[in-house]
Amino acid sequence: MFPNDRYFEYFPEESALDTPVHLGGRSSCLRAGAHVVVDMFLKKYRLLEWLGNRFGEKDGGLVADLASYLLISERNTAQHYPDYAYSHPLLTPDMRIYSDSKVGRLLKESITRDDVIAFTEWWNRGGGRGTAKVYISYDATNKYCQAGDIDIVEGGHSKTGVDGQPVFNVSVALGIEERMPLFYEDYPGSVVDVTQLSHMVDKARGLGYRNIGFVLDRGYFSRGNISYMDENGYSFIMMVKGMKRLVSSAVLAKRGTFENRRACHIWEYSVSGTTVGTRLYEGDARERSLHIYFSPYRHSVERSEFELMLRRLSAELDSLTGKDCSGRAMEKYEKYYDLAYTGKDLRTLAMYREKTEETERVIDLCGYFCIVSSDAMSAADALRLYKTRDGSEKLFAADKTFLGSRSSRVQSEGSLRAKTFIEFIALIIRSRFYSCIADHVRATGRKPNFMNVVSVIAELEKIELVRIGDGVYRLDHAITARQKEILSVFGMSEEDMKERCLDISGRLAAVDAGDIRRLPADTDIRDDSAAEDEEDEQWQE
């Protein structure tokens, strides 16, 4: 409610100058909850301080706001950043809303390769220099980019699309103990993951890591990688590839000896496990620990899927019986069926019979999986360490899905590297969300359906500050019971949230109370009124 001219006739002692002037560039309803938690993590790990020292208060705050935008809005398009800034508190000076043009210039000109290297060295300062072993989870993914003048964008093996499409690779090393992203690499799309591992090992050594072990996916299982890590004195825990003879023979040898023993049960993951010593390949100089696991749930799923596949193959063979099969790829059938042909060219399918020994062998292996470790440890310890890979895999899911970064949407190599750097900052914050939630679930033994990163951020976004007649932003409603539980996950209370919201309100009141004409000139600030005037003029023309 705003006083009109009639009001001042009855209250002449009040001046029209006392009437609050609301700047049109900011919403009257600000979503503050998620911003407060992100801001807490940025300050706790001194990320905001480092960004401000490196890029200046203006650009450093904008980088932090862009990382928050990626995390909270699940987008990575610079064009939509002003819309996010319009309805959220910001970390820029005076919470200024910068235009998408300013964001584009920041990506293209302000963040260099030297800045990324400097941040990596600072972030990993002192890492791994103690005597305790540090385990690092390492994984890679690729992203699409249509820009043809970026050197690292090449046709390569796409993990989610068609091979040969223009992609570049990004790999992330995640510290197991703190579940924190340590460093990342971006490299050409044609480079295969298994060949990049040795370069990552060299980078870890260059950053000061010595007594470390790597937790790796099955894609890195190769004799060369294992030998290279042995040469550098690094330990490893690695999933063993599928139906390898090493795995199948070990599983069949231990099958039926540990699955129902309570001493072998690992309750956190509802599996049973046992360990045997083995050598991974001919000429392997060391004996490794091969950990064999059985999952009842996995057995049920794999057995059902295998039976469905056999049913589908037999139905296809029924339709081919009596027909000429020349030119058809029959290899997929020959793995599980003996095929009999007739006719002059012996290419007409006469009958088929299931290879029961082969299908029974596959059925016997359903529900089993194996992990190999270079150090001696129990099956439970190996699985717990390997399961920490969930953090890095969820980081990639977050990067592609929840940060909107499946495609890069840039046209220069500098912008590509800058955007990847900002995404890494966002991944650091998101890993904190994920780790705090995981610790809470483990400590309480319960996981409500809202206790995941996406739902938590959505719930925090409901904590809103609204501006009413006196121009002051206030909490729209009391903190709900669900929001209190979520805040406790991050070590915050209802009073902490109220105090931070009050601080935001005070800073906004100071900004809005100032004469906008006395603010320092900044052509990068978005001016909605000017934009509307320009659109009006263009429409009139």
Side-chain angles (χ1 to χ4, degrees):
M1 298 175 63
F2 295 94
N4 55 23
D5 295 337
R6 191 75 170 170
Y7 174 87
F8 296 107
E9 292 181 13
Y10 290 95
F11 301 95
E13 69 278 2
E14 295 192 22
S15 170
L17 296 177
D18 297 329
T19 305
V21 177
H22 301 304
L23 303 180
R26 181 174 289 113
S27 173
S28 295
C29 177
L30 300 182
R31 301 171 184 174
H35 165 84
V36 167
V37 178
V38 171
D39 181 43
M40 178 194 68
F41 283 130
L42 286 170
K43 291 175 180 176
K44 178 179 180 181
Y45 295 101
R46 299 177 58 200
L47 292 167
L48 193 59
E49 177 186 345
W50 189 92
L51 292 172
N53 292 337
R54 184 74 183 188
F55 301 108
E57 188 180 9
K58 172 182 171 181
D59 286 352
L62 183 55
V63 169
D65 281 331
L66 288 171
S68 302
Y69 161 63
L70 291 173
L71 173 62
I72 296 173
S73 296
E74 302 176 8
R75 297 179 179 179
N76 77 336
T77 310
Q79 181 181 1
H80 299 307
Y81 166 74
D83 297 329
Y84 161 85
Y86 177 75
S87 59
H88 289 83
L90 301 173
L91 298 166
T92 50
D94 295 326
M95 296 195 191
R96 299 186 184 183
I97 301 176
Y98 290 107
S99 65
D100 54 344
S101 300
K102 165 59 180 174
V103 175
R105 289 196 299 275
L106 174 77
L107 296 177
K108 189 175 182 179
E109 302 169 2
S110 300
I111 302 176
T112 66
R113 189 66 180 270
D114 289 340
D115 295 326
V116 176
I117 294 173
F119 176 80
T120 304
E121 293 175 345
W122 171 79
W123 185 241
N124 291 272
R125 185 177 53 200
R129 293 182 173 86
T131 57
K133 177 165 291 187
V134 177
Y135 278 96
I136 296 177
S137 175
Y138 179 78
D139 204 354
T141 189
N142 49 40
K143 301 183 183 181
Y144 299 111
C145 186
Q146 296 295 331
D149 57 346
I150 300 179
D151 292 339
I152 66 172
V153 175
E154 299 177 345
H157 172 64
S158 175
K159 299 185 178 183
T160 57
V162 179
D163 287 353
Q165 290 183 329
V167 297
F168 67 100
N169 294 313
V170 177
S171 59
V172 174
L174 178 75
I176 295 300
E177 184 176 356
E178 295 185 356
R179 287 164 293 182
M180 186 80 80
L182 301 177
F183 58 88
Y184 71 95
E185 303 172 296
D186 48 4
Y187 52 95
S190 61
V191 176
V192 183
D193 294 347
V194 70
T195 63
Q196 181 67 19
L197 180 64
S198 60
H199 300 283
M200 188 277 296
V201 173
D202 292 339
K203 178 172 285 189
R205 178 174 287 276
L207 290 171
Y209 292 96
R210 293 294 182 266
N211 187 19
I212 60 176
F214 294 103
V215 183
L216 304 168
D217 192 13
R218 67 188 68 193
Y220 295 96
F221 185 84
S222 73
R223 181 170 180 170
N225 283 338
I226 293 171
S227 298
Y228 193 82
M229 285 186 284
D230 284 343
E231 292 170 5
N232 284 272
Y234 291 152
S235 305
F236 63 86
I237 297 174
M238 193 181 309
M239 181 72 75
V240 185
K241 289 184 177 180
M243 304 294 287
K244 290 289 186 182
R245 185 177 298 276
L246 167 71
V247 178
S248 59
S249 59
V251 168
L252 294 176
K254 298 296 292 185
R255 184 172 179 266
T257 64
F258 70 95
E259 293 88 342
N260 297 323
R261 291 184 57 195
R262 298 305 294 172
C264 298
H265 184 65
I266 307 172
W267 68 269
E268 300 100 314
Y269 308 106
S270 298
V271 302
S272 298
T274 189
T275 301
V276 296
T278 187
R279 297 185 187 275
L280 297 180
Y281 49 84
E282 185 177 352
D284 191 358
R286 296 177 54 189
E287 186 175 78
R288 323 286 180 168
S289 295
L290 182 66
H291 312 283
I292 305 170
Y293 304 92
F294 174 75
S295 167
Y297 172 77
R298 190 167 177 167
H299 174 269
S300 176
V301 172
E302 292 179 357
R303 174 69 186 272
S304 298
E305 291 177 349
F306 183 64
E307 293 291 352
L308 287 174
M309 184 195 68
L310 291 179
R311 189 181 304 173
R312 186 180 67 253
L313 292 179
S314 62
E316 292 175 3
L317 288 173
D318 285 338
S319 65
L320 292 175
T321 302
K323 296 180 180 179
D324 185 2
C325 296
S326 300
R328 290 182 178 272
M330 304 298 288
E331 293 80 4
K332 66 177 181 178
Y333 306 109
E334 293 172 351
K335 183 176 182 179
Y336 300 112
Y337 295 92
D338 288 317
L339 307 180
Y341 297 95
T342 188
K344 293 182 179 180
D345 54 359
L346 295 179
R347 294 305 300 167
T348 300
L349 182 63
M351 59 178 295
Y352 65 92
R353 183 178 61 187
E354 181 180 318
K355 296 180 179 178
T356 55
E357 290 186 2
E358 180 63 25
T359 55
E360 287 174 0
R361 190 184 76 88
V362 174
I363 291 172
D364 287 341
L365 294 174
C366 286
Y368 292 89
F369 60 98
C370 293
I371 294 173
V372 63
S373 64
S374 57
D375 295 337
M377 62 180 67
S378 68
D381 289 339
L383 184 60
R384 291 187 186 106
L385 280 171
Y386 185 80
K387 282 294 185 180
T388 56
R389 272 187 44 79
D390 288 349
S392 62
E393 291 174 352
K394 285 189 169 55
L395 281 181
F396 285 121
D399 188 24
K400 285 191 170 184
T401 304
F402 303 125
L403 301 186
S405 299
R406 191 176 298 277
S407 298
S408 294
R409 304 181 180 91
V410 293
Q411 296 296 325
S412 69
E413 188 157 348
S415 297
L416 178 63
R417 296 193 188 280
K419 182 171 272 191
T420 305
F421 169 71
I422 295 174
E423 289 172 2
F424 185 70
I425 300 291
L427 285 178
I428 291 174
I429 303 304
R430 198 178 196 281
S431 73
R432 295 296 83 205
F433 274 78
Y434 173 79
S435 297
C436 290
I437 293 171
D439 290 342
H440 177 78
V441 171
R442 188 177 299 109
T444 59
R446 52 183 290 271
K447 185 177 181 180
N449 57 5
F450 62 86
M451 201 56 76
N452 58 77
V453 177
V454 176
S455 299
V456 161
I457 291 176
E459 190 65 35
L460 290 173
E461 284 283 85
K462 298 175 184 177
I463 301 177
E464 297 174 335
L465 296 174
V466 296
R467 181 178 58 191
I468 49 179
D470 60 358
V472 177
Y473 283 94
R474 294 181 174 86
L475 275 171
D476 185 40
H477 54 75
I479 308 296
T480 66
R482 176 176 294 186
Q483 290 164 354
K484 290 177 184 177
E485 182 178 356
I486 289 174
L487 290 175
S488 69
V489 169
F490 305 109
M492 297 181 65
S493 65
E494 177 185 7
E495 295 304 319
D496 292 331
M497 176 58 71
K498 289 180 178 179
E499 182 180 344
R500 293 174 186 267
C501 287
L502 188 62
D503 177 66
I504 292 171
S505 176
R507 286 187 283 131
L508 286 172
V511 171
D512 288 348
D515 188 345
I516 192 170
R517 291 170 297 182
R518 294 201 302 268
L519 291 176
D522 194 339
T523 57
D524 293 324
I525 297 178
R526 186 180 74 167
D527 187 346
D528 288 336
S529 61
E532 290 173 2
D533 291 341
E534 291 174 4
E535 292 175 2
D536 214 20
E537 291 173 4
Q538 292 174 0
W539 182 83
Q540 299 251 349
E541 292 176 1

